[in-house]
């Protein structure tokens, strides 16, 4: 988990509300000047528990102890937080849009290492002076991947004695984890995004990465521009080889629901291939991610520290 920031040129006074008894008075708080514009210090925060917490703590310290005016921005993921520091608009279609207007955000306090990969180096070089600076670790570790919630875990253990917390117990050659988990047929199509508007739009490189790692031609398709992309059943579910023989098989696949633009998909689909797991992956419409996984209490993409699905 990394912290990014931008450097402002100078500071000047601005008003802000006072919260703590001994906070810097409103009239003494300051703005910063960046790209020739006087603005509060902007904190690009994500919409998950841990980043919300550290962003709020940082905001209190900066505004009420150090004495700067602060504004928060809510982003969907780590990549969006980094783009916002470089002045990219929320609806950007090209990185060339990122330095067309003054930058309003200066700090991103929790970006996940899985997002800030070597592929970002070229992006930062293209951004030049507008690229944010990586300050290193935030001082605590985060973990993400496939998790299984209590209902599916307990039902499997009660009926078979097998724990679905162990990946080998998903091997379709020997076991039937779909009996105890949510299946594709249980989740209405309108609750998940199409691959065309999620993973294949924002992460077209995942298709080539998957093919290079597995050699599985059945998991990819021609994107029509000389490249390949992930092949999705009904443009919504990427289906592992262990359950993609026909439509009936697909509908009985264990449904794994993620969020964002397909968080975690690039490594989870490889895990499903190599461990012969009968899984199908989809990206929930943003407001459906929590409700789907709370409702079905099955397999999902999740991360810690977080309390969203803690019972």
């Amino acid at each position: 988990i990394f912290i990014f920031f931008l450097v402002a040129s100078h500071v000047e006074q601005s008003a802000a509300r006072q919260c703590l008894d001994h906070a810097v008075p409103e009239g003494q708080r300051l703005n910063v000047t960046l790209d020739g514009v006087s603005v509060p210090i902007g904190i690009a925060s994500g919409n998950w528990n841990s980043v919300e917490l550290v962003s709020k703590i940082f905001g209190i310290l900066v505004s009420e102890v150090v004495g700067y005016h602060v504004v928060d921005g809510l982003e969907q993921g780590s990549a969006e937080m980094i783009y916002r520091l470089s002045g990219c608009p929320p609806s950007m279609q090209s990185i060339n849009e990122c330095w067309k207007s003054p930058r309003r955000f200066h700090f991103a306090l929790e970006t996940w290492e899985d997002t800030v990969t070597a592929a970002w180096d070229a992006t930062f070089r293209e951004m030049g002076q507008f690229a944010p600076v990586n300050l290193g670790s935030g001082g605590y570790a985060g973990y993400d991947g496939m998790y299984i919630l209590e209902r599916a875990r307990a039902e499997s253990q009660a009926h078979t004695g097998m724990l679905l917390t162990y990946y080998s117990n998903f091997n379709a050659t020997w076991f039937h984890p779909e009996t105890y988990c949510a299946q594709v047929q249980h989740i209405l199509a309108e609750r998940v995004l199409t691959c065309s508007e999620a993973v294949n739009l924002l992460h077209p490189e995942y298709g080539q990465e998957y093919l290079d790692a597995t050699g599985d031609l059945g998991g990819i398709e021609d994107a029509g521009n000389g490249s390949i992309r992930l092949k999705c059943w009904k443009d919504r579910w990427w289906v592992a080889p262990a359950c993609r023989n026909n439509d009936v098989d697909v509908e009985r696949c264990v449904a794994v629901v993620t969020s964002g633009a397909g968080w975690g998909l690039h490594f989870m689909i490889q895990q499903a291939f190599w461990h012969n797991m009968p899984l199908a992956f989809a990206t929930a419409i943003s407001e459906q991610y929590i409700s789907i996984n709370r409702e079905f209490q099955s397999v999902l993409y999740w991360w810690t520290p977080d309390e969203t699905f803690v019972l």
Side-chain angles (χ1 to χ4, degrees):
I1 293 175
F2 298 114
I3 297 173
F4 281 81
F5 85 117
L6 293 172
V7 179
S9 56
H10 68 274
V11 301
E12 60 185 59
Q13 284 192 337
S14 175
R17 67 182 184 275
Q18 179 173 319
C19 297
L20 299 179
D21 291 341
H22 302 290
V24 174
E26 292 183 8
Q28 295 180 22
R29 296 186 188 175
L30 307 171
N31 266 7
V32 297
T33 297
L34 185 66
D35 300 331
V37 179
S38 174
V39 292
I41 289 180
I43 303 172
S45 176
N47 60 356
W48 57 94
N49 295 158
S50 54
V51 70
E52 290 175 349
L53 179 62
V54 296
S55 296
K56 290 299 183 185
I57 293 172
F58 181 74
I60 291 171
L61 294 174
V62 170
S63 62
E64 301 177 7
V65 179
V66 182
Y68 290 94
H69 190 31
V70 169
V71 63
D72 298 321
L74 185 63
E75 308 300 336
Q76 190 177 46
S78 295
E80 290 84 356
M81 291 162 62
I82 295 172
Y83 280 130
R84 209 65 65 241
L85 297 190
S86 298
C88 306
S91 57
M92 62 172 283
Q93 299 296 316
S94 166
I95 196 173
N96 293 325
E97 301 174 42
C98 293
W99 34 83
K100 301 297 184 182
S101 59
R103 291 164 287 178
R104 302 285 180 175
F105 294 96
H106 314 96
F107 289 91
L109 294 171
E110 184 185 296
T111 57
W112 284 70
E113 183 175 6
D114 186 56
T115 300
V116 191
T117 62
W120 276 92
D121 292 343
T123 302
F124 289 157
R125 286 195 296 271
E126 188 173 356
M127 288 178 175
Q129 64 176 328
F130 295 94
V133 177
N134 187 346
L135 296 180
S137 171
Y140 58 95
Y143 302 91
D144 68 330
M146 274 188 279
Y147 285 72
I148 184 162
L149 298 182
E150 179 60 18
R151 183 186 303 163
R153 187 207 64 78
E155 288 188 6
S156 174
Q157 186 174 15
H159 288 87
T160 68
M162 296 182 58
L163 292 174
L164 292 181
T165 50
Y166 182 49
Y167 69 91
S168 285
N169 290 341
F170 278 83
N171 191 316
T173 299
W174 305 104
F175 310 114
H176 294 281
E178 70 278 3
T179 304
Y180 309 102
C181 299
Q183 300 174 7
V184 169
Q185 62 185 330
H186 298 152
I187 298 176
L188 296 175
E190 55 264 29
R191 301 183 74 177
V192 299
L193 296 169
T194 65
C195 293
S196 299
E197 59 192 355
V199 62
N200 280 337
L201 175 64
L202 296 175
H203 295 290
E205 73 277 9
Y206 284 2
Q208 189 64 57
E209 289 178 6
Y210 175 78
L211 181 62
D212 291 344
T214 67
D216 175 26
L217 292 172
I220 55 94
E221 63 183 3
D222 184 0
N225 56 1
S227 63
I228 60 176
R229 63 190 176 198
L230 295 179
K231 181 178 182 179
C232 294
W233 182 73
K234 296 188 176 179
D235 197 28
R236 295 183 189 274
W237 295 90
W238 185 91
V239 182
C243 62
R244 74 160 76 118
N245 291 330
N246 51 57
D247 285 353
V248 174
D249 271 0
V250 173
E251 289 179 351
R252 285 179 53 80
C253 288
V254 174
V256 183
V257 177
T258 183
S259 188
W263 294 338
L265 276 183
H266 60 300
F267 62 82
M268 293 191 297
I269 61 177
Q270 293 185 35
Q271 291 169 338
F273 173 86
W274 290 111
H275 299 301
N276 196 35
M277 305 166 84
L279 308 180
F281 300 84
T283 303
I285 293 171
S286 181
E287 62 272 15
Q288 291 289 326
Y289 168 71
I290 294 174
S291 60
I292 288 173
N293 288 307
R294 283 182 175 170
E295 177 183 347
F296 290 102
Q297 287 285 301
S298 186
V299 185
L300 73 161
Y301 168 82
W302 193 23
W303 59 91
T304 58
D306 187 78
E307 52 80 42
T308 302
F309 300 108
V310 174
L311 300 179

